[in-house]
Protein backbone atom coordinates (compact mmCIF):
# COMPACT_ATOMS: atom_id res chain seq x y z
CA UNK A 1 0.00 0.00 0.00
CA UNK A 2 1.50 3.31 -1.21
CA UNK A 3 4.84 1.55 -1.70
CA UNK A 4 4.95 -0.09 1.74
CA UNK A 5 4.61 -3.83 2.43
CA UNK A 6 1.69 -4.96 4.56
CA UNK A 7 1.72 -7.69 7.19
CA UNK A 8 0.31 -10.97 5.79
CA UNK A 9 -0.19 -12.67 9.16
CA UNK A 10 -4.01 -12.49 9.06
CA UNK A 11 -4.19 -14.55 5.86
CA UNK A 12 -2.65 -17.54 7.63
CA UNK A 13 -5.15 -17.24 10.47
CA UNK A 14 -8.42 -17.12 8.50
CA UNK A 15 -8.69 -20.88 7.95
CA UNK A 16 -9.15 -23.62 10.57
CA UNK A 17 -9.49 -21.07 13.35
CA UNK A 18 -12.18 -20.29 15.87
CA UNK A 19 -13.00 -18.04 18.79
CA UNK A 20 -13.69 -20.07 21.93
CA UNK A 21 -15.73 -18.67 24.86
CA UNK A 22 -14.56 -18.77 28.44
CA UNK A 23 -16.23 -17.89 31.75
CA UNK A 24 -14.32 -14.58 31.98
CA UNK A 25 -12.61 -14.04 28.64
CA UNK A 26 -12.40 -15.67 25.21
CA UNK A 27 -9.39 -17.07 23.41
CA UNK A 28 -8.56 -17.94 19.80
CA UNK A 29 -7.43 -21.36 18.57
CA UNK A 30 -5.47 -21.72 15.30
CA UNK A 31 -5.89 -25.38 14.37
CA UNK A 32 -3.97 -25.06 11.08
CA UNK A 33 -0.76 -24.76 13.12
CA UNK A 34 -1.23 -28.17 14.72
CA UNK A 35 0.86 -31.21 13.72
CA UNK A 36 -2.11 -32.60 11.77
CA UNK A 37 -4.03 -29.66 10.29
CA UNK A 38 -7.76 -30.23 9.65
CA UNK A 39 -8.83 -31.60 6.26
CA UNK A 40 -12.57 -31.02 6.57
CA UNK A 41 -15.14 -28.24 6.40
CA UNK A 42 -18.48 -28.17 8.21
CA UNK A 43 -21.75 -27.75 6.34
CA UNK A 44 -24.98 -26.75 8.08
CA UNK A 45 -28.51 -26.99 6.69
CA UNK A 46 -31.81 -26.83 8.58
CA UNK A 47 -29.79 -26.43 11.82
CA UNK A 48 -27.99 -29.75 11.21
CA UNK A 49 -24.18 -29.83 11.05
CA UNK A 50 -22.09 -32.18 8.90
CA UNK A 51 -18.37 -32.86 8.70
CA UNK A 52 -17.26 -33.00 5.06
CA UNK A 53 -13.74 -34.17 4.21
CA UNK A 54 -12.44 -32.05 1.31
CA UNK A 55 -9.30 -34.05 0.48
CA UNK A 56 -8.96 -37.43 -1.18
CA UNK A 57 -6.92 -40.21 0.42
CA UNK A 58 -3.95 -39.29 -1.81
CA UNK A 59 -3.95 -35.72 -0.46
CA UNK A 60 -5.49 -34.08 -3.54
CA UNK A 61 -8.44 -31.70 -2.95
CA UNK A 62 -11.91 -32.85 -3.98
CA UNK A 63 -12.96 -31.75 -7.46
CA UNK A 64 -15.97 -29.52 -8.05
CA UNK A 65 -17.96 -32.59 -9.13
CA UNK A 66 -17.03 -34.50 -5.97
CA UNK A 67 -17.99 -31.57 -3.74
CA UNK A 68 -21.31 -31.28 -5.58
CA UNK A 69 -22.01 -34.98 -4.98
CA UNK A 70 -21.21 -34.65 -1.27
CA UNK A 71 -23.40 -31.55 -0.87
CA UNK A 72 -26.29 -33.43 -2.50
CA UNK A 73 -25.80 -36.21 0.05
CA UNK A 74 -25.94 -33.66 2.88
CA UNK A 75 -29.09 -32.17 1.37
CA UNK A 76 -30.70 -35.61 1.28
CA UNK A 77 -29.89 -36.17 4.99
CA UNK A 78 -31.14 -32.81 6.25
CA UNK A 79 -34.75 -32.44 5.13
CA UNK A 80 -36.22 -32.38 8.64
CA UNK A 81 -36.87 -28.90 10.00
CA UNK A 82 -37.66 -29.80 13.62
CA UNK A 83 -34.08 -29.78 14.94
CA UNK A 84 -32.84 -27.57 17.76
CA UNK A 85 -30.81 -24.60 16.48
CA UNK A 86 -27.57 -25.28 18.34
CA UNK A 87 -25.76 -22.48 16.51
CA UNK A 88 -28.03 -19.92 18.20
CA UNK A 89 -26.02 -20.44 21.40
CA UNK A 90 -23.00 -18.72 19.78
CA UNK A 91 -24.99 -15.47 19.46
CA UNK A 92 -25.39 -15.09 23.23
CA UNK A 93 -23.61 -12.59 25.45
CA UNK A 94 -20.06 -13.88 25.75
CA UNK A 95 -20.15 -14.61 29.50
CA UNK A 96 -23.51 -16.37 29.17
CA UNK A 97 -22.29 -18.41 26.19
CA UNK A 98 -19.09 -19.26 28.09
CA UNK A 99 -21.14 -20.84 30.89
CA UNK A 100 -23.42 -22.67 28.44
CA UNK A 101 -20.33 -23.85 26.50
CA UNK A 102 -18.96 -25.57 29.60
CA UNK A 103 -22.31 -27.27 30.21
CA UNK A 104 -22.51 -28.34 26.56
CA UNK A 105 -19.04 -29.91 26.58
CA UNK A 106 -19.75 -32.08 29.64
CA UNK A 107 -21.24 -34.63 27.22
CA UNK A 108 -18.81 -36.58 25.03
CA UNK A 109 -21.02 -36.49 21.91
CA UNK A 110 -21.43 -32.73 22.19
CA UNK A 111 -17.71 -32.28 22.81
CA UNK A 112 -16.80 -34.20 19.64
CA UNK A 113 -19.32 -32.26 17.53
CA UNK A 114 -18.20 -28.86 18.82
CA UNK A 115 -14.54 -29.74 18.27
CA UNK A 116 -15.30 -30.78 14.67
CA UNK A 117 -16.97 -27.42 13.99
CA UNK A 118 -14.16 -25.46 15.63
CA UNK A 119 -11.41 -27.38 13.78
CA UNK A 120 -13.02 -27.16 10.32
CA UNK A 121 -11.25 -25.18 7.59
CA UNK A 122 -14.42 -23.06 7.35
CA UNK A 123 -18.20 -23.47 7.50
CA UNK A 124 -20.71 -23.49 4.64
CA UNK A 125 -24.24 -22.40 5.57
CA UNK A 126 -26.96 -23.65 3.21
CA UNK A 127 -29.87 -21.32 3.94
CA UNK A 128 -33.58 -21.65 3.24
CA UNK A 129 -35.03 -18.90 1.00
CA UNK A 130 -36.20 -15.72 2.69
CA UNK A 131 -39.38 -13.80 2.00
CA UNK A 132 -39.02 -11.67 -1.12
CA UNK A 133 -39.18 -7.92 -0.60
CA UNK A 134 -39.20 -4.96 -2.96
CA UNK A 135 -36.22 -4.51 -5.26
CA UNK A 136 -35.37 -1.31 -3.41
CA UNK A 137 -35.03 -3.13 -0.07
CA UNK A 138 -33.57 -6.38 -1.43
CA UNK A 139 -29.90 -5.53 -0.84
CA UNK A 140 -30.64 -4.38 2.74
CA UNK A 141 -32.55 -7.59 3.47
CA UNK A 142 -29.73 -9.70 2.05
CA UNK A 143 -27.13 -7.79 4.08
CA UNK A 144 -29.09 -8.53 7.25
CA UNK A 145 -29.44 -12.17 6.20
CA UNK A 146 -25.69 -12.51 5.80
CA UNK A 147 -24.96 -10.64 9.04
CA UNK A 148 -27.24 -12.56 11.42
CA UNK A 149 -29.37 -15.06 9.49
CA UNK A 150 -32.71 -13.29 9.90
CA UNK A 151 -33.69 -14.57 13.34
CA UNK A 152 -34.72 -17.76 15.09
CA UNK A 153 -37.58 -18.43 12.65
CA UNK A 154 -35.28 -17.99 9.67
CA UNK A 155 -31.63 -19.03 9.20
CA UNK A 156 -29.82 -17.85 12.34
CA UNK A 157 -29.60 -21.46 13.54
CA UNK A 158 -27.50 -22.20 10.45
CA UNK A 159 -24.53 -20.31 11.90
CA UNK A 160 -21.68 -20.89 14.31
CA UNK A 161 -20.84 -17.23 14.95
CA UNK A 162 -17.52 -18.05 16.68
CA UNK A 163 -16.16 -19.57 13.47
CA UNK A 164 -13.77 -17.23 11.67
CA UNK A 165 -15.10 -17.84 8.17
CA UNK A 166 -18.61 -18.86 7.09
CA UNK A 167 -19.77 -18.91 3.47
CA UNK A 168 -23.54 -18.40 3.21
CA UNK A 169 -25.45 -19.69 0.18
CA UNK A 170 -29.25 -19.48 0.01
CA UNK A 171 -31.68 -21.57 -2.03
CA UNK A 172 -32.83 -18.28 -3.62
CA UNK A 173 -29.32 -17.62 -5.00
CA UNK A 174 -28.22 -15.13 -2.34
CA UNK A 175 -24.65 -15.55 -1.17
CA UNK A 176 -22.10 -13.87 1.06
CA UNK A 177 -19.59 -14.31 3.85
CA UNK A 178 -19.85 -13.70 7.60
CA UNK A 179 -16.63 -13.64 9.60
CA UNK A 180 -15.53 -13.31 13.22
CA UNK A 181 -13.38 -10.20 13.71
CA UNK A 182 -11.23 -11.42 16.60
CA UNK A 183 -8.86 -13.05 14.10
CA UNK A 184 -8.97 -10.95 10.92
CA UNK A 185 -10.07 -7.56 9.65
CA UNK A 186 -12.08 -6.77 6.53
CA UNK A 187 -9.41 -6.41 3.79
CA UNK A 188 -8.06 -10.00 3.90
CA UNK A 189 -11.63 -11.34 3.77
CA UNK A 190 -12.50 -9.03 0.86
CA UNK A 191 -9.38 -10.23 -0.97
CA UNK A 192 -10.45 -13.83 -0.32
CA UNK A 193 -13.92 -13.16 -1.80
CA UNK A 194 -12.30 -11.65 -4.92
CA UNK A 195 -10.14 -14.78 -5.24
CA UNK A 196 -13.12 -17.13 -4.85
CA UNK A 197 -15.22 -15.32 -7.46
CA UNK A 198 -12.28 -15.16 -9.89
CA UNK A 199 -11.97 -18.94 -9.50
CA UNK A 200 -15.70 -19.42 -10.13
CA UNK A 201 -15.35 -17.68 -13.51
CA UNK A 202 -12.62 -20.10 -14.63
CA UNK A 203 -12.77 -23.24 -12.47
CA UNK A 204 -10.17 -25.93 -12.94
CA UNK A 205 -11.55 -28.90 -14.84
CA UNK A 206 -9.92 -31.86 -13.13
CA UNK A 207 -11.16 -35.39 -13.66
CA UNK A 208 -12.45 -36.88 -10.43
CA UNK A 209 -10.62 -39.99 -9.15
CA UNK A 210 -12.54 -43.25 -9.53
CA UNK A 211 -12.63 -43.70 -5.77
CA UNK A 212 -15.87 -43.94 -3.76
CA UNK A 213 -16.31 -41.06 -1.32
CA UNK A 214 -17.25 -41.69 2.30
CA UNK A 215 -20.59 -40.30 3.43
CA UNK A 216 -20.37 -36.87 5.12
CA UNK A 217 -20.47 -37.37 8.88
CA UNK A 218 -23.51 -35.96 10.66
CA UNK A 219 -22.68 -34.21 13.94
CA UNK A 220 -25.06 -35.00 16.78
CA UNK A 221 -25.87 -33.16 20.01
CA UNK A 222 -27.34 -34.42 23.25
CA UNK A 223 -29.67 -31.74 24.60
CA UNK A 224 -30.52 -32.01 28.28
CA UNK A 225 -32.99 -29.65 30.03
CA UNK A 226 -30.21 -27.19 30.93
CA UNK A 227 -29.00 -26.91 27.33
CA UNK A 228 -32.60 -26.62 26.12
CA UNK A 229 -33.07 -23.67 28.50
CA UNK A 230 -29.85 -22.09 27.24
CA UNK A 231 -31.10 -22.37 23.64
CA UNK A 232 -34.45 -20.77 24.48
CA UNK A 233 -32.74 -17.86 26.26
CA UNK A 234 -30.39 -17.40 23.29
CA UNK A 235 -33.37 -17.32 20.92
CA UNK A 236 -35.02 -14.49 22.85
CA UNK A 237 -31.78 -12.53 23.08
CA UNK A 238 -30.90 -12.92 19.40
CA UNK A 239 -34.36 -11.89 18.15
CA UNK A 240 -34.16 -8.84 20.40
CA UNK A 241 -30.75 -7.91 18.96
CA UNK A 242 -31.95 -8.43 15.38
CA UNK A 243 -35.09 -6.35 15.90
CA UNK A 244 -32.91 -3.55 17.25
CA UNK A 245 -30.67 -3.41 14.15
CA UNK A 246 -31.62 -0.97 11.40
CA UNK A 247 -29.63 -1.54 8.20
CA UNK A 248 -29.81 0.21 4.83
CA UNK A 249 -27.67 -0.67 1.79
CA UNK A 250 -27.59 1.29 -1.45
CA UNK A 251 -25.50 1.86 -4.56
CA UNK A 252 -24.60 5.44 -5.46
CA UNK A 253 -24.47 5.41 -9.26
CA UNK A 254 -23.77 9.05 -10.19
CA UNK A 255 -20.02 8.54 -9.92
CA UNK A 256 -17.34 6.22 -8.56
CA UNK A 257 -13.70 6.56 -7.58
CA UNK A 258 -12.68 7.72 -11.06
CA UNK A 259 -14.54 11.03 -10.62
CA UNK A 260 -12.55 12.53 -7.70
CA UNK A 261 -9.32 11.27 -9.27
CA UNK A 262 -9.99 13.58 -12.24
CA UNK A 263 -9.56 16.48 -9.80
CA UNK A 264 -6.55 14.86 -8.10
CA UNK A 265 -8.58 14.16 -4.99
CA UNK A 266 -8.53 11.02 -2.89
CA UNK A 267 -11.81 9.06 -3.31
CA UNK A 268 -11.68 8.08 0.37
CA UNK A 269 -11.26 11.71 1.46
CA UNK A 270 -14.21 12.82 -0.69
CA UNK A 271 -16.42 10.11 0.82
CA UNK A 272 -15.30 11.02 4.34
CA UNK A 273 -16.19 14.68 3.67
CA UNK A 274 -19.60 13.53 2.38
CA UNK A 275 -20.13 11.44 5.53
CA UNK A 276 -19.41 14.32 7.89
CA UNK A 277 -21.49 16.67 5.75
CA UNK A 278 -24.41 14.20 5.75
CA UNK A 279 -24.19 13.84 9.53
CA UNK A 280 -23.94 17.61 9.97
CA UNK A 281 -26.84 18.43 7.61
CA UNK A 282 -29.05 15.56 8.71
CA UNK A 283 -31.54 15.31 11.57
CA UNK A 284 -28.74 14.29 13.92
CA UNK A 285 -27.44 17.85 14.02
CA UNK A 286 -30.45 18.77 16.15
CA UNK A 287 -31.46 15.42 17.59
CA UNK A 288 -28.09 14.16 18.80
CA UNK A 289 -27.12 17.35 20.57
CA UNK A 290 -24.12 18.23 18.42
CA UNK A 291 -23.35 18.68 14.72
CA UNK A 292 -20.06 16.76 14.44
CA UNK A 293 -19.47 13.09 15.02
CA UNK A 294 -16.45 11.40 16.52
CA UNK A 295 -15.32 9.21 13.66
CA UNK A 296 -13.74 5.82 14.19
CA UNK A 297 -11.68 6.30 11.04
CA UNK A 298 -10.93 9.86 9.97
CA UNK A 299 -10.33 13.20 11.68
CA UNK A 300 -12.51 16.27 11.61
CA UNK A 301 -10.36 19.39 12.01
CA UNK A 302 -11.30 23.05 12.44
CA UNK A 303 -10.96 23.89 8.70
CA UNK A 304 -13.37 21.02 7.95
CA UNK A 305 -15.85 22.33 10.51
CA UNK A 306 -15.85 25.77 8.89
CA UNK A 307 -16.29 24.22 5.45
CA UNK A 308 -19.25 22.04 6.55
CA UNK A 309 -20.92 25.08 8.07
CA UNK A 310 -20.51 27.06 4.84
CA UNK A 311 -21.67 24.20 2.62
CA UNK A 312 -24.75 23.65 4.77
CA UNK A 313 -25.87 27.29 5.10
CA UNK A 314 -27.00 29.01 1.92
CA UNK A 315 -25.95 31.11 0.18
CA UNK A 316 -22.84 29.18 -0.76
CA UNK A 317 -19.50 31.01 -0.83
CA UNK A 318 -18.39 32.59 -4.17
CA UNK A 319 -15.85 29.80 -4.81
CA UNK A 320 -17.45 26.57 -3.55
CA UNK A 321 -15.28 24.51 -5.91
CA UNK A 322 -12.16 25.75 -4.16
CA UNK A 323 -13.73 25.19 -0.75
CA UNK A 324 -14.61 21.61 -1.68
CA UNK A 325 -11.13 20.77 -2.96
CA UNK A 326 -9.51 22.48 0.05
CA UNK A 327 -11.50 20.50 2.62
CA UNK A 328 -10.86 17.21 0.75
CA UNK A 329 -7.15 18.02 0.61
CA UNK A 330 -7.18 18.90 4.32
CA UNK A 331 -8.90 15.63 5.24
CA UNK A 332 -6.46 13.73 3.01
CA UNK A 333 -3.50 15.52 4.60
CA UNK A 334 -4.74 14.48 8.04
CA UNK A 335 -5.81 10.97 7.13
CA UNK A 336 -2.83 9.61 5.20
CA UNK A 337 -0.14 10.37 7.81
CA UNK A 338 -2.37 8.96 10.56
CA UNK A 339 -3.26 5.86 8.53
CA UNK A 340 0.43 5.30 7.74
CA UNK A 341 1.20 5.43 11.47
CA UNK A 342 -1.64 2.98 12.17
CA UNK A 343 -0.26 0.57 9.54
CA UNK A 344 3.03 0.61 11.43
CA UNK A 345 1.32 -0.20 14.74
CA UNK A 346 1.47 3.36 16.03
CA UNK A 347 -2.26 4.13 16.32
CA UNK A 348 -2.64 6.16 19.51
CA UNK A 349 -5.95 4.58 20.62
CA UNK A 350 -4.40 1.09 20.73
CA UNK A 351 -1.55 2.25 22.94
CA UNK A 352 -3.88 4.10 25.30
CA UNK A 353 -6.16 1.07 25.55
CA UNK A 354 -3.10 -1.10 26.27
CA UNK A 355 -2.05 1.18 29.13
CA UNK A 356 -5.54 1.09 30.63
CA UNK A 357 -5.80 -2.71 30.44
CA UNK A 358 -2.30 -3.15 31.83
CA UNK A 359 -3.21 -1.06 34.86
CA UNK A 360 -6.38 -3.12 35.43
CA UNK A 361 -4.59 -6.48 35.02
CA UNK A 362 -1.79 -5.51 37.41
CA UNK A 363 -4.17 -4.12 40.03
CA UNK A 364 -2.88 -0.57 39.66
CA UNK A 365 -4.98 2.55 39.87
CA UNK A 366 -6.21 3.53 36.41
CA UNK A 367 -4.52 6.79 35.26
CA UNK A 368 -6.68 9.87 35.69
CA UNK A 369 -6.72 10.47 31.92
CA UNK A 370 -9.10 7.53 31.46
CA UNK A 371 -11.48 8.89 34.09
CA UNK A 372 -11.71 12.30 32.41
CA UNK A 373 -15.02 13.29 30.77
CA UNK A 374 -13.17 14.61 27.72
CA UNK A 375 -11.56 11.19 27.16
CA UNK A 376 -14.95 9.47 27.45
CA UNK A 377 -16.45 11.86 24.89
CA UNK A 378 -13.47 11.52 22.54
CA UNK A 379 -13.79 7.72 22.50
CA UNK A 380 -17.58 7.65 22.08
CA UNK A 381 -17.57 6.86 18.36
CA UNK A 382 -20.93 7.98 17.00
CA UNK A 383 -19.90 7.47 13.40
CA UNK A 384 -17.97 4.27 12.73
CA UNK A 385 -16.78 4.28 9.12
CA UNK A 386 -14.66 1.99 7.03
CA UNK A 387 -13.55 1.58 3.45
CA UNK A 388 -13.21 -2.10 2.58
CA UNK A 389 -12.19 -2.15 -1.06
CA UNK A 390 -12.98 -5.14 -3.22
CA UNK A 391 -12.99 -5.76 -6.95
CA UNK A 392 -16.26 -7.61 -6.41
CA UNK A 393 -19.45 -5.56 -6.73
CA UNK A 394 -20.25 -5.99 -3.04
CA UNK A 395 -20.12 -4.22 0.30
CA UNK A 396 -19.27 -5.20 3.87
CA UNK A 397 -21.64 -4.33 6.70
CA UNK A 398 -21.36 -4.19 10.50
CA UNK A 399 -23.08 -2.57 13.46
CA UNK A 400 -22.44 0.72 15.31
CA UNK A 401 -20.01 0.91 18.22
CA UNK A 402 -22.36 2.82 20.53
CA UNK A 403 -26.16 2.74 21.06
CA UNK A 404 -26.65 6.26 19.65
CA UNK A 405 -24.27 5.80 16.73
CA UNK A 406 -24.02 4.79 13.10
CA UNK A 407 -21.79 2.41 11.16
CA UNK A 408 -21.04 3.10 7.50
CA UNK A 409 -18.96 0.84 5.26
CA UNK A 410 -18.27 1.53 1.61
CA UNK A 411 -16.62 -0.02 -1.43
CA UNK A 412 -15.75 2.55 -4.12
CA UNK A 413 -15.62 1.01 -7.59
CA UNK A 414 -14.68 2.83 -10.80
CA UNK A 415 -18.14 4.13 -11.74
CA UNK A 416 -20.25 3.64 -8.59
CA UNK A 417 -19.97 3.26 -4.82
CA UNK A 418 -21.61 0.59 -2.65
CA UNK A 419 -22.66 1.66 0.87
CA UNK A 420 -24.05 -0.04 3.96
CA UNK A 421 -25.45 2.10 6.80
CA UNK A 422 -26.59 0.72 10.15
CA UNK A 423 -28.04 2.10 13.37
CA UNK A 424 -29.99 0.84 16.38
CA UNK A 425 -33.77 1.18 16.65
CA UNK A 426 -33.49 1.63 20.43
CA UNK A 427 -32.21 5.16 19.75
CA UNK A 428 -35.03 7.35 18.47
CA UNK A 429 -32.55 9.91 17.16
CA UNK A 430 -30.76 7.64 14.66
CA UNK A 431 -32.24 6.30 11.45
CA UNK A 432 -30.14 4.36 8.91
CA UNK A 433 -32.30 5.16 5.89
CA UNK A 434 -32.35 8.90 6.69
CA UNK A 435 -28.57 9.04 6.97
CA UNK A 436 -28.28 7.03 3.74
CA UNK A 437 -30.45 9.63 1.97
CA UNK A 438 -28.46 12.53 3.43
CA UNK A 439 -25.26 10.81 2.32
CA UNK A 440 -26.53 10.58 -1.25
CA UNK A 441 -27.52 14.25 -1.13
CA UNK A 442 -24.06 15.21 0.17
CA UNK A 443 -22.31 13.26 -2.60
CA UNK A 444 -24.50 14.94 -5.23
CA UNK A 445 -23.68 18.35 -3.77
CA UNK A 446 -19.93 17.65 -3.82
CA UNK A 447 -20.21 16.43 -7.41
CA UNK A 448 -22.03 19.61 -8.38
CA UNK A 449 -19.46 21.82 -6.68
CA UNK A 450 -16.52 20.06 -8.31
CA UNK A 451 -17.94 20.34 -11.83
CA UNK A 452 -16.10 23.16 -13.69
CA UNK A 453 -19.41 24.47 -15.07
CA UNK A 454 -20.71 25.31 -11.56
CA UNK A 455 -21.44 28.98 -10.82
CA UNK A 456 -22.46 30.24 -7.41
Amino acid sequence: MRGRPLCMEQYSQIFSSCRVPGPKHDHVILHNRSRRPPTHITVVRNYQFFQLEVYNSDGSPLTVGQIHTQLQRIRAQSWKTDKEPMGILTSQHRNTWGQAYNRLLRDKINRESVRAIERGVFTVCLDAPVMRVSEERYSSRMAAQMLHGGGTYSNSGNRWFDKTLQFVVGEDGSCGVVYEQAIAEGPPVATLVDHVLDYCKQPETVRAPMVPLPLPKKLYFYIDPEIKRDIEMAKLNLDSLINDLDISCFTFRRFGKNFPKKYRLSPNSLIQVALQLAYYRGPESSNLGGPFANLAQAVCGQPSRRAYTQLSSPPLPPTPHGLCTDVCAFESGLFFPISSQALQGQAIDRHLLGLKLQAIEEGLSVPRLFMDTAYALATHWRLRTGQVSSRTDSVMCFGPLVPDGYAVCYNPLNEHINFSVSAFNCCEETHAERLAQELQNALLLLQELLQPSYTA
Side-chain angles (χ1 to χ4, degrees):
M1 180 182 287
R2 298 192 292 279
R4 291 177 177 269
L6 296 175
C7 176
M8 301 294 287
E9 180 75 4
Q10 292 185 20
Y11 286 90
S12 68
Q13 298 178 0
I14 291 175
F15 301 104
S16 303
S17 58
C18 196
R19 179 174 179 160
V20 177
K24 292 185 178 179
H25 62 267
D26 295 354
H27 62 280
V28 167
I29 298 183
L30 305 175
H31 293 285
N32 60 355
R33 296 182 179 177
S34 60
R35 294 181 65 181
R36 296 182 63 185
T39 57
H40 71 275
I41 64 171
T42 48
V43 181
V44 54
R45 178 174 182 261
N46 285 334
Y47 311 161
Q48 298 160 73
F49 288 83
F50 294 83
Q51 178 176 331
L52 170 56
E53 293 293 330
V54 289
Y55 289 89
N56 289 299
S57 56
D58 62 0
S60 63
L62 297 192
T63 65
V64 172
Q66 287 177 308
I67 292 172
H68 182 234
T69 298
Q70 294 294 70
L71 290 176
Q72 284 184 316
R73 287 175 165 179
I74 288 173
R75 190 166 179 259
Q77 293 183 68
S78 57
W79 283 110
K80 290 186 177 180
T81 57
D82 58 349
K83 305 299 180 181
E84 288 289 350
M86 297 301 299
I88 293 282
L89 289 171
T90 62
S91 69
Q92 259 290 24
H93 184 278
R94 301 308 300 178
N95 289 350
T96 307
W97 167 219
Q99 295 165 5
Y101 183 85
N102 288 336
R103 286 192 286 271
L104 186 66
L105 264 59
R106 287 196 298 240
D107 181 85
K108 182 183 177 183
I109 294 174
N110 295 343
R111 193 161 54 247
E112 290 176 352
S113 296
V114 170
R115 294 288 183 254
I117 296 169
E118 291 175 345
R119 284 179 52 83
V121 179
F122 53 79
T123 296
V124 173
C125 313
L126 302 179
D127 280 4
V130 297
M131 187 175 66
R132 190 75 183 181
V133 293
S134 66
E135 203 64 37
E136 186 179 336
R137 292 289 303 165
Y138 179 75
S139 61
S140 300
R141 171 64 70 86
M142 286 301 103
Q145 184 70 19
M146 298 305 147
L147 193 60
H148 50 61
T152 58
Y153 292 100
S154 188
N155 292 297
S156 293
N158 280 356
R159 305 286 186 272
W160 195 268
F161 290 108
D162 289 354
K163 193 68 187 155
T164 303
L165 195 61
Q166 299 185 94
F167 291 93
V168 181
V169 181
E171 284 186 33
D172 51 8
S174 58
C175 60
V177 175
V178 58
Y179 82 99
E180 216 296 317
Q181 204 174 5
I183 290 170
E185 295 179 290
V189 176
T191 302
L192 174 67
V193 171
D194 286 340
H195 172 80
V196 168
L197 294 179
D198 285 345
Y199 181 89
C200 289
K201 292 173 186 173
Q202 294 182 320
E204 296 177 12
T205 52
V206 181
R207 187 171 181 178
M210 300 300 289
V211 179
L213 294 170
L215 275 174
K217 179 183 176 183
K218 189 166 187 176
L219 303 178
Y220 291 94
F221 290 92
Y222 171 69
I223 301 171
D224 62 22
E226 276 190 296
I227 299 301
K228 173 67 174 174
R229 188 188 69 238
D230 290 334
I231 293 172
E232 294 304 315
M233 286 177 60
K235 284 181 180 179
L236 293 173
N237 183 61
L238 178 60
D239 284 338
S240 176
L241 290 171
I242 288 174
N243 290 333
D244 193 27
L245 183 67
D246 178 21
I247 188 164
S248 178
C249 295
F250 69 95
T251 300
F252 182 79
R253 298 193 179 278
R254 290 290 290 272
F255 64 80
K257 62 183 178 182
N258 285 345
F259 173 73
K261 286 181 179 179
K262 286 198 306 184
Y263 302 97
R264 297 185 178 181
L265 296 174
S266 157
N268 187 62
S269 295
L270 184 75
I271 294 170
Q272 286 291 320
V273 169
L275 281 164
Q276 277 284 12
L277 188 57
Y279 191 93
Y280 179 68
R281 298 172 73 197
E284 289 70 32
S285 60
S286 58
N287 289 347
L288 287 184
F292 293 101
N294 286 330
L295 267 75
Q297 187 199 49
V299 178
C300 179
Q302 288 299 331
S304 302
R305 290 171 179 263
R306 288 194 293 271
Y308 298 138
T309 304
Q310 287 179 290
L311 291 172
S312 301
S313 306
L316 291 173
T319 56
H321 177 276
L323 179 66
C324 184
T325 54
D326 286 349
V327 72
C328 287
F330 178 78
E331 292 286 352
S332 181
L334 278 175
F335 176 73
F336 285 119
I338 292 173
S339 64
S340 296
Q341 288 177 321
L343 287 171
Q344 297 170 39
Q346 297 173 0
I348 186 173
D349 56 326
R350 268 68 166 180
H351 291 297
L352 288 171
L353 177 62
L355 288 170
K356 181 180 179 181
L357 294 177
Q358 185 179 2
I360 293 171
E361 287 179 9
E362 295 182 8
L364 305 173
S365 59
V366 175
R368 288 170 56 193
L369 166 68
F370 302 108
M371 302 294 108
D372 195 283
T373 305
Y375 182 82
L377 289 172
T379 54
H380 187 82
W381 306 111
R382 280 183 165 170
L383 190 53
R384 176 192 188 186
T385 69
Q387 173 181 269
V388 181
S389 298
S390 170
R391 288 183 285 106
T392 306
D393 196 1
S394 61
V395 69
M396 190 170 283
C397 54
F398 41 72
L401 291 172
V402 293
D404 59 348
Y406 288 103
V408 182
C409 191
Y410 50 93
N411 178 18
L413 297 160
N414 287 337
E415 302 301 330
H416 63 274
I417 310 170
N418 293 327
F419 286 95
S420 68
V421 181
S422 63
F424 290 121
N425 292 316
C426 64
C427 179
E428 295 180 359
E429 297 153 340
T430 57
H431 194 289
E433 203 163 323
R434 282 208 305 258
L435 184 65
Q437 186 59 56
E438 287 294 342
L439 179 53
Q440 293 182 71
N441 294 341
L443 288 165
L444 290 171
L445 174 62
L446 294 177
Q447 181 189 28
E448 187 180 355
L449 297 181
L450 286 172
Q451 301 282 10
S453 58
Y454 181 83
T455 55

